[in-house]
Amino acid sequence: MTYAEVTEWVLGTHGAVFLAALTIYLKYGDPTKLFDRFPQEYKKLQQAVRDKIASDLADQLQSVVRDSTGVRSSILDIDGEYIEEPVDVTKGETYYQSIRDFVTNASGALVDYRRVLDVIKAWRSWAHRLSWSILILVILELVMLVFAVLVLYNANESDKIPVWLALLGSVPTVSVIFGAIVCLVIMHVKQDIVFSLKECYETNS
């Protein structure tokens, strides 16, 4: 391939990638817009799981608190006379047993809540990587275009250049695009986890 052919190929290929990457970045690559798109679903799910845990805990402790309201203990005051004080429900064995039963019965919701927190953290991390990948791709393709123009301006158009050398220049572009695709796949996996949990808790609510 001649320098002219290689330059024409570089300008056509990397020019198209540059325009596509720039359009995607302007529309989706802004971290603020990207981070605000999906986390609303996470917040709703997080609240739904919290409400489920709070409801289960209230149901578990309701009978313990209700039964203890009328119980009073007799103790001696400083003058040696008996007085009555309400029993502290949190110091009884029944209370602790209720807490243990709650942890056992609500272990699924507690695990789900932890999963939601982990998914939120992971999604934001991969969204951040995706945003940077798109920005790096824009910069990389701009550099490739400038380089191609400089080569075309200074080189002899009839000179030959190995095909493998022309293809080698596309390796960084392919690598960055592959990295962006990996980010998208992982983000979709995290979204599927959220949607499946959201369906479950919306049904239960």
Side-chain angles (χ1 to χ4, degrees):
M1 296 179 69
T2 64
Y3 273 108
E5 292 172 336
V6 171
T7 304
E8 182 180 351
W9 177 79
V10 169
L11 289 174
T13 303
H14 292 279
V17 175
F18 171 75
L19 291 177
L22 182 61
T23 302
I24 293 173
Y25 182 79
L26 292 176
K27 190 170 183 180
Y28 302 107
D30 184 2
T32 304
K33 296 178 182 177
L34 188 62
F35 293 157
D36 287 344
R37 287 183 62 205
F38 192 71
Q40 294 299 327
E41 297 296 329
Y42 289 123
K43 291 177 182 177
K44 292 178 183 177
L45 175 60
Q46 192 176 359
Q47 186 61 48
V49 180
R50 271 203 304 256
D51 291 344
K52 177 69 165 58
I53 294 173
S55 176
D56 290 345
L57 180 59
D59 292 341
Q60 189 69 42
L61 297 179
Q62 184 178 18
S63 60
V64 178
V65 175
R66 183 181 61 244
D67 295 341
S68 66
T69 53
V71 179
R72 304 177 72 85
S73 60
S74 299
I75 60 174
L76 293 174
D77 62 10
I78 56 176
D79 297 325
E81 298 181 359
Y82 283 101
I83 59 174
E84 289 186 348
E85 286 190 352
V87 174
D88 187 354
V89 64
T90 62
K91 294 182 180 179
E93 179 60 29
T94 304
Y95 177 82
Y96 289 111
Q97 184 59 46
S98 296
I99 294 296
R100 287 192 288 268
D101 291 342
F102 163 75
V103 173
T104 301
N105 298 331
S107 58
L110 294 173
V111 170
D112 287 342
Y113 187 72
R114 180 62 190 178
R115 287 180 68 192
V116 172
L117 296 180
D118 290 341
V119 166
I120 291 174
K121 183 178 179 180
W123 191 92
R124 291 182 64 87
S125 177
W126 285 102
H128 186 75
R129 291 187 180 98
L130 176 61
S131 177
W132 270 105
S133 297
I134 299 172
L135 179 58
I136 290 172
L137 185 60
V138 171
I139 297 172
L140 177 62
E141 295 310 290
L142 182 60
V143 170
M144 293 293 293
L145 291 175
V146 172
F147 178 76
V149 171
L150 291 177
V151 169
L152 181 62
Y153 180 77
N154 294 296
N156 188 339
E157 295 184 4
S158 61
D159 289 343
K160 298 291 184 180
I161 184 172
V163 176
W164 66 266
L165 188 59
L167 295 176
L168 186 62
S170 299
V171 172
T173 298
V174 174
S175 301
V176 175
I177 292 176
F178 179 77
I181 292 174
V182 170
C183 293
L184 280 173
V185 170
I186 296 178
M187 288 170 64
H188 276 285
V189 170
K190 301 303 179 183
Q191 290 177 2
D192 287 342
I193 295 174
V194 168
F195 284 133
S196 62
L197 288 173
K198 192 168 180 289
E199 257 181 38
C200 175
Y201 282 93
E202 282 184 346
T203 302
N204 291 338
S205 59

